Amino acid sequence: MTAATRISLEQWRALTAVVDAGGYAQAAALMHKTQSSVSYAVQKMESVLGVKLFKVDGRKAVLTPTGQLLYRRARYLLEEAGGLEQAAKKLSAGWEAEIRVVVEAIFPTFILLRCLDLLGDESPHTRVEVIDSVISGSAEALMQGRADLAIAGGIPQGFLGDALMQVRFVLVAHPDHALHRLGRKITMQDLRAQRQLVVRETGLRRDTRASVEATQRWTVSSMATSIEAARTGYGYAWLPEEKLRDQLAAGTLKPLPLREGGERYAQLYLIFADRDHAGPATLRLAQIVREQVAKECRLHMAAGAAPKRASRSKRSG
């Protein structure tokens, strides 16, 4: 039998609020309480536990080594308690009323829409919010608790993910673009002389590692804008082949004949924000995504143009 605790969650919350907000007055405003009540909660903790949580350094109160340890454990405790409440809420209502999915922009849209439709057939009352992302935006959405599930190009530290599929990129431009008119294999020097179109990351802390060959470039906010700019002859771009089906078929975009490196692949992963506390709708959507990606890969293989699908594996950040 678990021993009764002498410190309440509200007291632990007061401790973390003082540290995170930078003082008692700020913590009181954050918690919608009086400053005296927050101060009393911390003092009561010190008295009950027989420890000193803060020490005065100049004119500022800072955590003691013991306070630092308890602060870290308190953060973990509060996160676990919040996750437990969310799990109970979801279970009491059956399938979730809403799930949030952050999706890397390069993931095939037709597969995503099919997955959402299949989930809707099974759980018509579950609303789905899709958050479009480019590179670091997916990691930020997970770490900030803004998504329940992610299809992302990397696994952020502290999360686990399943390898889902690889997306093939091709370098394309309008058929009348100056690079196509060269009538020969294209070199890196040729690319540097022309305008490149690049899609901006959606994360606040942008850490783009996308290849940029040209000094002259346009950075746009969406994949659709980049495709349209390339289609109308304003530059060249590395773009997911699956997003270019209509343009390649119509001949409004044409792959550039690079002397080397004419194709690239990006790995996508399926990542839970919190697998242990995921509700049934989130779990089912993840299963549907895996099934539909596998199905599409089999169809491509049968057609002789298979996109590479990574074997299912797990890794931690």
Side-chain angles (χ1 to χ4, degrees):
M1 182 176 179
T2 304
T5 59
R6 294 182 295 167
I7 306 299
S8 69
L9 284 176
E10 195 64 15
Q11 287 173 292
W12 290 119
R13 192 171 286 111
L15 170 63
T16 60
V18 171
V19 178
D20 295 341
Y24 287 95
Q26 299 92 322
L30 184 67
M31 298 180 69
H32 304 290
K33 294 181 178 292
T34 63
Q35 183 174 341
S36 60
S37 67
V38 174
S39 178
Y40 176 77
V42 175
Q43 291 172 4
K44 184 70 173 177
M45 290 176 65
E46 292 180 321
S47 175
V48 171
L49 297 175
V51 298
K52 196 68 177 174
L53 298 173
F54 291 94
K55 63 180 179 180
V56 178
D57 186 0
R59 301 179 61 184
K60 187 177 180 181
V62 297
L63 286 169
T64 63
T66 299
Q68 293 174 3
L69 172 63
L70 293 179
Y71 166 74
R72 291 194 296 269
R73 296 292 297 271
R75 288 292 302 271
Y76 175 78
L77 174 66
L78 292 171
E79 289 174 2
E80 285 294 296
L84 184 60
E85 289 181 7
Q86 288 297 318
K89 182 179 179 181
K90 290 175 180 177
L91 290 172
S92 67
W95 285 43
E96 301 95 307
E98 181 179 31
I99 57 177
R100 300 160 301 169
V101 186
V102 59
V103 181
E104 179 69 36
I106 65 175
F107 184 69
T109 303
F110 78 95
I111 298 180
L112 174 64
L113 297 178
R114 184 193 300 161
C115 293
L116 298 181
D117 186 50
L118 289 170
L119 178 68
D121 290 340
E122 298 182 29
S123 182
H125 300 297
T126 298
R127 299 187 300 272
V128 181
E129 179 184 359
V130 176
I131 305 167
D132 293 323
S133 169
V134 178
I135 309 178
S136 65
S138 302
E140 284 190 5
L142 285 168
M143 291 187 289
Q144 294 171 3
R146 294 188 287 111
D148 304 298
L149 188 68
I151 298 173
I155 305 175
Q157 185 174 3
F159 292 84
L160 295 174
D162 290 335
L164 185 64
M165 67 181 295
Q166 286 188 332
V167 176
R168 181 174 183 262
F169 280 73
V170 291
L171 190 63
V172 295
H174 188 276
D176 293 332
H177 191 277
L179 289 170
H180 279 300
R181 292 202 301 269
L182 292 175
R184 57 172 171 77
K185 295 288 185 179
I186 293 169
T187 66
M188 183 63 70
Q189 186 174 357
D190 296 327
L191 294 177
R192 291 196 184 104
Q194 300 295 326
R195 180 188 297 125
Q196 185 174 1
L197 307 168
V198 180
V199 181
R200 178 186 293 110
E201 293 186 49
T202 53
L204 295 178
R205 295 182 180 180
R206 292 169 187 155
D207 184 27
T208 184
R209 295 178 177 82
S211 174
V212 177
E213 286 83 9
T215 54
Q216 181 187 173
R217 62 180 179 270
W218 287 358
T219 302
V220 298
S221 298
S222 72
M223 188 75 66
T225 302
S226 181
I227 292 172
E228 181 62 14
R231 188 190 69 81
T232 48
Y234 288 107
Y236 68 88
W238 283 101
L239 292 166
E241 184 180 36
E242 191 54 55
K243 300 283 184 178
L244 306 175
R245 280 208 262 177
D246 294 342
Q247 292 81 5
L248 293 173
T252 55
L253 280 177
K254 182 180 177 183
L256 287 163
L258 291 184
R259 187 172 63 187
E260 55 188 4
E263 62 179 18
R264 296 174 180 174
Y265 290 89
Q267 179 68 54
L268 289 179
Y269 298 88
L270 185 63
I271 309 166
F272 285 97
D274 187 341
R275 177 66 175 77
D276 292 334
H277 295 144
T282 303
L283 294 172
R284 179 58 182 141
L285 179 58
Q287 181 182 4
I288 290 172
V289 169
R290 294 189 192 99
E291 291 171 351
Q292 292 303 311
V293 167
K295 176 181 178 182
E296 194 62 31
C297 287
R298 287 195 298 270
L299 290 173
H300 275 273
M301 291 179 68
K308 294 183 181 178
R309 182 175 185 271
S311 59
R312 191 177 176 190
S313 62
K314 288 191 176 182
R315 99 176 194 204
S316 61

